Amino acid sequence: MSEYRNKEYIESMSLISLSDDKKEKMISNLTKISPIRKEGTMKKRIGVRKTAIIVAACIMVFGVTAAATGIATGVVSHNKIETRTRNFGDLEKLEQQAELDIIAVESFSNGYEFDYMEIGESTTQDDNFNDLLSYKGISMNYVKENEPYVAIYMDPKSMGGGDISKDALDSRKVGDVDVYYSCDEYLFVPVGEVLTDEEKERDANDPHFFISDGSDERETKMCSTVSFVMGEVDYCILSFDTPMDADEMMDMAEEIINASNN
């Protein structure tokens, strides 16, 4: 792990009231999220939007994290655990705290149902860890028996950054809202493991393929996302290793968008 990234993780972990051994385990796991460095330079530069998605997924598991985006901007985020609620009726209260006007549904036609929601706070940083802009968002977790969870992250549109249509694998128009689907593959490998020529080629040229070292064993995770902007809110539907295809995930987005007309 690079010295500056280790420092950033440790500083973030100091905000959590957990035992030292648990913090160290969390730091170890978080290093799997950052793209591998080669010959002293970052092979890929991940945009703020994609980094925010990865960070949000980490928050869901670890509660707080910091992720570097390479030589440019990063995002430091934490969830406000005291705002977590399993009462869907509390949405208006969270909207007021986050200063967001969002559209949400309590259940989807595919069987996913609301589990809980909470507020997250994020700050963008430059490569010297100087704070730039801070904002609040709302995350909602949905569950379905024997299926991976689905999380929906809603942040101010002005904080998203970048073109959400870039590198999209599929898209759909719902009314006047453009919906974009993407799926990224993350290969985690132990330190020093030799990569195949195919993996090296994909690592260099495939915008949907990322390699991180530091894992206890070789494993692959698929991160599927659907992104769209409605009003002043940036929506991202995310699930790891989901059996849902692009159409099924975009159907969920369509149900949210259609709910805005009710």
Side-chain angles (χ1 to χ4, degrees), residues 15-33:
L15 301 175
I16 309 177
S17 298
L18 293 177
S19 63
D20 290 341
D21 61 326
K22 286 186 177 180
K23 288 181 182 180
E24 291 174 2
K25 178 62 175 177
M26 291 165 72
I27 293 171
S28 175
N29 287 332
L30 288 172
T31 62
K32 298 179 181 180
I33 301 300

